[in-house]
Amino acid sequence: MQTILITGVSDGIGRALAVQAAASGARVLGIGRRTFPASLAASMAPEDYCIADLGQAEAAAAIANFLRARQVTQLDILVHNAALGDYGAPAQQSRAAIDALLQVNLYTPIALTHALLPPLRRAHGLVAFVSSVHSALPTPDFAVYTATKAGLDGFARSLRLEEQGAVDVIVLWPGPTRTQLHAKSGVPPERIRSERYASPEEVAQAMLAAMQHRRSRAIGLSNRLLRWAAVHFEAQIDALLVKTAQRSTHTVR
Ligand SMILES: NC(=O)c1ccc[n+]([C@@H]2O[C@H](COP(=O)([O-])OP(=O)(O)OC[C@H]3O[C@@H](n4cnc5c(N)ncnc54)[C@H](OP(=O)(O)O)[C@@H]3O)[C@@H](O)[C@H]2O)c1
């Protein structure tokens, strides 16, 4: 039986990952900052749920202690899924909001990876970073969020080389998904196009398949094409977006 640790299982894609991983026979250990969600009662033991605020510097050490207390000495998969968003231009964001984004989305995944390398190495395990297809694109009003995801991409790229033969490292790049992330991030309701977004269940299913193949992957065909274009035609895409922004200068943000 595989043992999988997923951060941010209380909502959205993380919850769908936990439910589907458990359904496939894995033992799921979950991290969340709320009390044990009733929606996970059929998928994991309440004792395998660790309450931790990933915005706190000591979160990684607390999670490593939690695993030791549960006698989890081998970890097959670590999924860095939890993240925050914060809508708005960096100039309008508070220092505290920027710090929180960096802590939850970038610092804690790096610190937690560091803390859990021993149990991952024992299992020849896998670390999966949940990034965003937008990490390779300019994203006005989400610059800090996207910078944290680009940071994860860069960290994963180096870690993959450093851990080769011991731990596999992949990045998953989902596109817009029908979760509460946009509302929680303060995106104005009229800008949220939920009906066009993928469901968290289909995104989770594609992510778990990529994890089983140990392959980095943009989730969904359109996101694969978008990421390919973003990587290969960066200058052209930036120029196009500048023109579009100039045309909509009067749009209220
Ligand atoms: N939704 C999209 O359109 C989209 C697109 C691209 C990439 N992604 C990525 O996909 C991943 C999952 O996002 P989602 O859409 O499922 O968002 P979500 O529904 O808001 O879920 C995020 C999860 O992370 C948890 N979390 C946030 N801050 C935390 C903290 N300080 N301590 C502990 N847990 C914390 C949340 O807990 P609470 O329930 O307590 O807030 C929640 O369980 C993220 O990495 C996100 O960047 C999402």
Side-chain angles (χ1 to χ4, degrees):
M1 185 201 285
Q2 284 197 317
T3 302
I4 176 168
L5 175 66
I6 306 168
T7 65
V9 290
S10 58
D11 211 354
I13 296 169
R15 179 166 55 200
L17 282 171
V19 169
Q20 292 181 26
S24 73
R27 175 186 180 185
V28 177
L29 297 139
I31 311 295
R33 57 182 164 178
R34 314 183 203 172
T35 53
F36 181 63
S39 56
L40 290 176
S43 304
M44 57 185 292
E47 304 78 36
D48 282 348
Y49 178 78
C50 171
I51 298 178
D53 180 352
L54 303 174
Q56 301 296 317
E58 62 275 13
I63 294 166
N65 284 339
F66 163 79
L67 290 189
R68 272 192 289 275
R70 302 289 299 137
Q71 297 177 332
V72 176
T73 54
Q74 298 201 20
L75 189 57
D76 296 293
I77 307 180
L78 167 61
V79 189
H80 294 292
N81 164 77
L84 288 176
D86 190 29
Y87 177 83
Q92 295 161 359
Q93 284 173 320
S94 67
R95 166 84 191 271
I98 292 170
D99 285 352
L101 281 175
L102 288 165
Q103 186 75 38
V104 174
N105 295 9
L106 186 59
Y107 178 81
T108 295
I110 292 173
L112 188 56
T113 304
H114 177 256
L116 299 187
L117 277 176
L120 283 161
R121 285 175 179 153
R122 274 181 218 117
H124 187 179
L126 173 76
V127 183
F129 292 94
V130 180
S131 179
S132 164
V133 74
H134 290 106
S135 67
L137 288 161
T139 51
D141 291 321
F142 274 104
V144 179
Y145 167 83
T146 314
T148 64
K149 296 299 188 181
L152 286 182
D153 292 359
F155 178 68
R157 196 172 171 188
S158 301
L159 186 69
R160 185 176 304 123
L161 292 183
E162 287 159 5
E163 289 298 320
Q164 62 176 313
V167 175
D168 290 327
V169 178
I170 64 170
V171 182
L172 303 167
W173 295 281
T177 307
R178 208 176 305 125
T179 69
Q180 293 305 308
L181 183 70
H182 309 91
K184 288 179 194 173
S185 305
V187 178
E190 66 276 12
R191 290 199 61 182
I192 302 176
R193 307 271 157 78
S194 309
E195 70 285 354
R196 296 189 192 170
Y197 301 167
S199 75
E201 289 75 22
E202 64 185 298
V203 170
Q205 189 179 20
M207 283 183 172
L208 286 168
M211 288 180 221
Q212 290 309 322
H213 290 101
R214 299 194 169 218
R215 288 185 58 179
S216 294
R217 183 144 259 227
I219 304 301
L221 180 60
S222 56
N223 292 316
R224 277 203 283 288
L225 289 171
L226 183 57
R227 185 172 157 77
W228 180 85
V231 169
H232 291 89
F233 298 101
E234 183 180 322
Q236 292 86 339
I237 285 180
D238 285 12
L240 184 68
L241 287 173
V242 167
K243 274 194 191 148
T244 311
Q246 283 166 348
R247 276 202 296 269
S248 58
T249 312
H250 300 297
T251 304
V252 179
R253 282 192 173 166

